[in-house]
Structures are given as structure tokens and as C-alpha cells.
Amino acid sequence: MASRPKILITRKIPAECLAYLQEHCDCTLWDGQGSMPREQLLDKIKDYDGLLLSGTSVNAELLERAPRLKAVSSISVGYNHFNIEEMKARGVIGTHTPYVLDDTVADLVLALMLASARRIAELDAFVKQGKWRRGQVREEDLFGMDVHHATLGIIGMGRIGEAIAKRAVHGFDMNLLYYNRSRKPEVEERFGAQYCSLEQLLKESDFVVLMTPLTPETVHFIRKEHFELMKPSAFFINASRGQTVDEEALIDALRNGIIRGAGLDVFAQEPTSPDNPLLQLDNVVTVPHIGSATAKTRNDMAMVASRNLVGALTGGKAYVVPEFQSLLKA
């Protein structure tokens, strides 16, 4: 009888996920706060066939200490924390959790658009600080910008981009532009979207939403010259990764009226420093990387990741990161 795979779980997961994993594997669970400390992970990993994690770097340092490792399952759709070439060289498969969080992230993007355009955070503070007094506030000082019938430009028309498009077009009657590595005729047909150059999108959009994955090619994908192409009345929304934007250029654009405002779920460094100038600007809405942060979605992600790990270790089904498909065929 074949021995059961040994897996290391580096953060707390829902009880039903742990029960599922225990049916198929011998499990060791980190039960402390957050993720297992790096030094402990490096010390323990030598004994395990599988690893369940979220955001922890899987690099040469870790892989050199993991001679038995066959699969790493991440509780995330992004996998920029995987060193793909190092993993492939050692025959270690990486999996992720697409699809399950698309709608939840799209909801947050619309929330950031609405909050930015209607100045929700700024005016919430205005009321709570006792500044809303009859006869002392000009009506126009409270004006925001309409979202309905405005032009939305989406950079990166993947699954989440399509979910955003659905909400924007069907819910707010927005005009839709998109820029993507490849054209998507089905998106154009469903949403009346126009495929265009990045330059045209930036020049014509009232809201620019960045949804590109983080890769070596997309680091600082949006820079100073891109903000300068945007309308002075435009809003920039980022729910992808903080490193896809030159943050200093964004700060400059917001300070100097090059663009009107921003809604940010991600930052160049996370958690961002309390001294980050973005946190001092009234025309920026900031949230702490909560794109998929609802109980249901996070639980669903953990279950998908658990099934992925079992599938990758036993020859079953798994959402394997595309770059690892060649390992499955080998």
C-alpha cells in the first residue's frame, strides 16, 4: 500500500479544508498567527511532499532544502511569489485558485470607483469632524463626479476584468475601452467594448482600472508618462499589485492635479508605511489589499487550494499554474 503524502500547512485554514486534507494526506499545521515564520518553514520543509501557503516566497533558498517537495499550492490567484524556473528545474508543480474570487474582487473595484468619484472617505471624515454646518459649506464643495455613463478603461481583460466590465456596463451604463495582450471579440460583443492602444485608453478614460498580473514585464507598467496622458479629471484604480505602478509617479500625479484621484487596494510595499504620502492625500481612497477579503471567498479559496494540493500529489485535478503544464505532460 502506497504511503500517504506528507504536507505542511503554513497558516490556519478552515476546519472543513483541514478535514479534507487529513482524509488524503498526513498533515502538519502551523497554528500560530499569520504565516509560519520563514526560519521554521526552512527548517521543516525537508520532510514534506506538499506545501500549502499564501504569499510565502517559493525560491531557490526554500527549494534547496526541500528534496521531497512535489507540489506547492497557493491560496491565491496570483503566483508572483513562485520562482517558476527554479520550481520547474526541480520538478515542483505550482497551483493557484482562479475563478473563485473574480466576483469579489470586481465588487471591490466598483466600490473603489464609486468611493473615489463621490469622495466617500473624504466626506465621511468631513461629517464626523463636525464640519457639515448649515450656511458654512458651499454646495459645490461637496460635488463629486458621476460614474454612470462615464468611460471606463480596463488594462488587463482577464476573468476579473470581464467581471468588472459586466458591472460597469450593465449596472452603470458605462462606455468601455480595454487594452490587453490579445484582442477578445467575445468581450466586445457582450459589453460593446472597444479594443484600443494603451495611449488611447489613457487619454479617453474617466476611470482607468489596472488589472494586469505582476510579472517581470509589468513591474512599473504604469509610469509618469502614462499619468500625464490621462485627463486631469480622471481616476486611477489599482487592484492588481502595487509594483505594477511607479508609486512615486502616482504620488506626484495626485499632488499636482495631473489626475483627480485614485482608489488603491495595493501598494509598492505591504503593509505600506504610515509615512507613505499617499495616506496624507484627500483624493486617494486606500484599503489594505482586501480584494478577495470576504469570509465566503477566502474559505472557498482555501478549499480550492486544498483540493489542488491533493490533486497535484495524487494525479487528480488541480488548477495548475499555466507555466507548469509541461511538468504534467512529462
Side-chain angles (χ1 to χ4, degrees):
M1 183 176 178
S3 60
R4 286 153 54 96
K6 290 186 66 176
I7 66 169
L8 181 61
I9 305 164
T10 67
R11 61 176 302 134
K12 289 181 180 179
I13 57 174
E16 60 268 28
C17 299
L18 180 59
Y20 172 81
L21 289 167
Q22 288 173 333
E23 288 178 17
H24 301 276
C25 308
D26 292 335
C27 304
T28 300
L29 172 68
W30 166 254
D31 201 30
Q33 290 295 317
S35 294
M36 175 182 284
R38 182 80 177 176
E39 286 307 313
Q40 281 190 245
L41 173 59
L42 294 175
D43 182 60
K44 288 179 173 291
I45 191 60
K46 64 182 183 297
D47 298 321
Y48 293 93
D49 306 296
L51 183 59
L52 184 70
L53 49 73
S54 176
T56 300
S57 177
V58 181
N59 56 13
E61 177 190 39
L62 185 149
L63 294 166
E64 285 167 2
R65 302 197 190 191
R68 292 178 49 170
L69 194 63
K70 299 179 180 66
V72 179
S73 179
S74 183
I75 310 173
S76 65
V77 65
Y79 49 89
N80 52 287
H81 51 298
F82 287 173
N83 186 319
I84 290 170
E85 293 308 314
E86 292 283 354
M87 291 171 68
K88 287 173 68 175
R90 293 168 169 80
V92 178
I93 293 171
T95 70
H96 64 149
T97 61
Y99 308 110
V100 66
L101 50 62
D102 297 352
D103 284 325
T104 302
V105 176
D107 285 352
L108 179 72
V109 169
L110 267 293
L112 287 172
M113 289 170 57
L114 289 162
S116 301
R118 298 302 300 270
R119 303 165 58 193
I120 298 299
E122 178 190 355
L123 296 179
D124 172 72
F126 177 85
V127 174
K128 289 177 178 175
Q129 291 166 8
K131 296 180 180 179
W132 188 28
R133 298 177 182 175
R134 191 177 303 278
Q136 297 185 27
V137 181
R138 296 186 308 165
E139 191 175 55
E140 57 267 32
D141 289 340
L142 307 180
F143 285 175
M145 177 177 153
D146 286 327
V147 175
H148 65 84
H149 295 93
T151 296
L152 169 63
I154 299 177
I155 302 171
M157 188 58 80
R159 295 179 305 272
I160 298 172
E162 291 187 31
I164 295 166
K166 178 181 177 181
R167 288 157 173 74
V169 172
H170 296 325
F172 292 87
D173 293 314
M174 298 185 81
N175 304 307
L176 183 61
L177 305 176
Y178 78 102
Y179 173 79
N180 199 55
R181 285 178 297 181
S182 58
R183 191 166 182 169
K184 292 196 166 182
E186 69 279 8
V187 170
E188 296 170 28
E189 183 176 351
R190 284 176 64 197
F191 304 120
Q194 179 184 345
Y195 181 66
C196 63
S197 67
L198 179 59
E199 180 178 355
Q200 180 184 349
L201 183 149
L202 293 169
K203 285 182 174 180
E204 297 183 10
S205 297
D206 299 303
F207 296 88
V208 173
V209 172
L210 183 61
M211 291 307 306
T212 185
L214 179 62
T215 67
E217 295 73 32
T218 61
V219 172
H220 287 190
F221 185 78
I222 299 296
R223 304 178 297 279
K224 179 177 186 288
E225 59 265 32
H226 298 113
F227 291 116
E228 291 174 346
L229 287 171
M230 292 171 63
K231 298 177 181 180
S233 59
F235 293 86
F236 177 73
I237 309 296
N238 189 9
S240 59
R241 288 292 187 270
Q243 298 94 325
T244 57
V245 179
D246 181 340
E247 197 165 272
E248 291 301 318
L250 173 59
I251 292 166
D252 181 71
L254 290 161
R255 276 177 168 167
N256 295 303
I258 295 170
I259 61 174
R260 182 168 178 178
L264 306 174
D265 185 38
V266 291
F267 300 85
Q269 292 186 333
E270 295 181 359
T272 194
S273 167
D275 299 325
N276 188 332
L278 288 169
L279 307 188
Q280 312 306 318
L281 297 173
D282 289 338
N283 57 342
V284 184
V285 175
T286 58
V287 290
H289 204 150
I290 58 167
S292 62
T294 69
K296 181 182 186 305
T297 295
R298 289 287 175 85
N299 287 350
D300 289 348
M301 289 169 67
M303 182 55 79
V304 170
S306 300
R307 294 186 183 279
N308 281 343
L309 187 54
V310 171
L313 290 172
T314 63
K317 294 181 179 180
Y319 288 119
V320 175
V321 168
E323 287 86 343
F324 294 101
Q325 290 293 335
S326 60
L327 294 181
L328 298 180
K329 297 172 184 176

